[in-house]
Amino acid sequence: MQELGTGDAVARARIVYDYEETAVFASKLDPRFHMMLYVPPAASKGRKVDLLVAIHGTGRTSALDFRDGFSEFGLYNDCAILCPIFPVNVQGDGARSGYKYIIEGDIRYDEVVLAMVAEMAEKYDQDWSKFAMFGFSGGGHFTHRFAILHPEKLWAASIGAPGSVTLLDHDRDWWVGIRDLPEKFGRPFDADALARVPVQMVVGGLDLETWEITHAPGSKYWMEGANEAGKTRPERLQTLQKSFESVGVKVTFDEVSGVSHDRMKVLAHVKAFLTARLKEMRA
């Protein structure tokens, strides 16, 4: 049997680990955070592909579910899938939810994601100056807040079943409102840019449990107004819809009948939304 030369081995390893379902990579910006991707074969042939960033929920295992769950979508739509992984306990305090609110101590999770996208765009020789984002549950927290902060980076956003929502309320501070955005994040709210982002909001019609989403006074993320958007996830997402629509955002609202808090059972609706947005954008 002929042995592979050094160049052949490097090329073979790149095909095995860097394309289609990839290995897990550490972020150059902050190696505490990782990512996995699906990169369609078209990219290995030098073709330009688009990008979807899919954000996991509290359990983190949905990063793998989303990478594999969107792989067929990525293959047939020439779209790479990037799934960041933000571990529990990253600051040694056992915290599970810091990434959902974008900022945790000295960590800016929005900047981590932007750095991951830039790093992978360079690696695969792609223009990912704009991308789509989807997140479910904890990822839905992150996605709508990222859209508020960085609408100019998105060609679409799909917000799935967040437990708590940030409304476009200039009378309340982050995370309930956006009054202190410039002080907290160093950037103003750009309503016009957000209005240009096609947004989907998706939630199961039976996603009605409240034990994980009700903020009690004295709890870590308690603020006045923390529970005022509604009791259940569908109610809170409807309130977010009205808030986004108040600044001109076109929202596609999908309440999936017969479905509880099940990320995999809403993916068909998300794929349909993103496929339509891709066709519009490419036209």
Side-chain angles (χ1 to χ4, degrees):
M1 181 181 292
Q2 184 177 4
E3 293 185 6
L4 289 173
T6 301
D8 292 333
V10 170
R12 180 68 179 272
R14 185 164 167 79
I15 290 296
V16 170
Y17 297 112
D18 291 357
Y19 287 93
E20 300 192 43
E21 292 82 6
T22 73
V24 176
F25 303 112
S27 164
K28 284 183 180 179
L29 176 72
D30 190 333
R32 292 176 295 178
F33 305 115
H34 306 103
M35 65 193 113
M36 61 178 72
L37 298 91
Y38 173 81
V39 182
S44 69
K45 300 180 174 109
R47 283 167 55 185
K48 298 304 180 184
V49 300
D50 288 294
L51 178 68
L52 167 66
V53 176
I55 307 294
H56 61 65
T58 308
R60 275 68 175 175
T61 55
S62 55
L64 180 60
D65 290 339
F66 293 157
R67 195 276 302 273
D68 294 349
F70 280 108
S71 61
E72 187 177 31
F73 164 85
L75 173 64
Y76 290 110
N77 288 284
D78 284 349
C79 189
I81 318 300
L82 189 159
C83 299
I85 304 170
F86 304 129
V88 173
N89 195 41
V90 72
Q91 293 192 313
D93 57 1
R96 295 185 295 269
S97 297
Y99 78 99
K100 302 174 190 177
Y101 298 89
I102 306 294
I103 189 167
E104 180 182 25
D106 63 348
I107 303 168
R108 281 279 302 273
Y109 288 96
D110 57 333
E111 294 178 351
V112 173
V113 167
L114 289 171
M116 287 178 173
V117 170
E119 180 183 342
M120 291 297 108
E122 182 179 4
K123 176 181 176 70
Y124 293 103
D125 190 25
Q126 297 290 330
D127 177 7
W128 287 339
S129 53
K130 281 198 170 190
F131 49 90
M133 183 175 285
F134 162 70
F136 186 87
S137 193
H141 276 253
F142 184 94
T143 297
H144 83 277
R145 296 186 178 112
F146 185 93
I148 290 169
L149 286 167
H150 301 283
E152 77 286 350
K153 302 300 295 184
L154 298 174
W155 54 259
S158 177
I159 300 159
S164 299
V165 295
T166 295
L167 303 181
L168 306 180
D169 185 344
H170 292 275
D171 295 323
R172 283 179 163 158
D173 288 339
W174 190 269
W175 60 266
V176 172
I178 60 171
R179 176 171 55 192
D180 60 342
L181 228 58
E183 294 79 18
K184 200 168 191 71
F185 295 101
R187 56 190 296 122
F189 172 59
D190 189 339
D192 291 339
L194 183 60
R196 291 192 288 270
V197 180
V199 171
Q200 178 190 41
M201 298 184 183
V202 60
V203 66
L206 298 181
D207 195 348
L208 303 176
E209 291 192 4
T210 61
W211 66 272
E212 194 174 18
I213 69 172
T214 302
H215 297 272
S219 61
K220 185 174 180 64
Y221 292 103
W222 164 257
M223 293 179 65
E224 288 292 335
N227 299 310
E228 289 181 11
K231 291 183 178 179
T232 65
R233 293 177 196 265
E235 289 175 1
R236 293 183 177 186
L237 200 56
Q238 288 164 2
T239 302
L240 183 65
Q241 176 190 12
K242 293 175 184 175
S243 183
F244 271 37
E245 289 178 340
S246 73
V247 299
V249 179
K250 182 180 178 182
V251 177
T252 300
F253 195 96
D254 289 316
E255 184 171 304
V256 186
S257 63
V259 171
S260 57
H261 198 58
D262 190 328
R263 56 187 177 260
M264 301 309 289
K265 290 184 178 178
V266 305
L267 285 196
H269 294 267
V270 177
K271 292 174 190 177
F273 171 79
L274 293 173
T275 298
R277 302 295 77 76
L278 275 173
K279 287 180 179 177
E280 291 172 355
M281 181 173 67
R282 290 169 177 172

